Amino acid sequence: MTEKKFSYEPERIAEDLYAIPLPLHDGSPVNAYAAFSEKGVWLIDGGLMSERAQTTLREGLRSIGFHFDRDVKGLLVTHGHVDHMWCVAPVAGAY
């Protein structure tokens, strides 16, 4: 069986919004979103709390010119599935 390859490159979907694909446990992507302004970045869903997902999130933010600890101002969780809300602790821990 051939292993699937996924891209985790951020994609600009609006002037002030990027989709940042993050890996689930099986490697398939789920999107987090980074909405930004001159005041900083708000994440919309943030993926799993796994080291791989959180590293991918931080690398994605860096690739679009932001730093997680400095620029992320908050998190909007759209619903209670773990692939959307497990990242709350790392975001809250930045404050």
Side-chain angles (χ1 to χ4, degrees), residues 16-75:
D16 57 357
L17 184 66
Y18 277 88
I20 303 174
L22 304 175
L24 294 172
H25 295 299
D26 66 357
S28 61
V30 62
N31 283 329
Y33 296 90
F36 59 92
S37 72
E38 66 280 349
K39 294 182 180 181
V41 176
W42 282 82
L43 296 176
I44 304 166
D45 296 330
L48 298 173
M49 198 168 63
S50 70
E51 182 177 338
R52 182 176 177 200
Q54 291 304 302
T55 297
T56 303
L57 175 61
R58 284 163 172 73
E59 288 172 355
L61 286 168
R62 265 194 304 277
S63 75
I64 60 174
F66 297 103
H67 188 274
F68 183 87
D69 294 326
R70 179 191 67 219
D71 298 315
V72 173
K73 303 302 179 193
L75 171 70

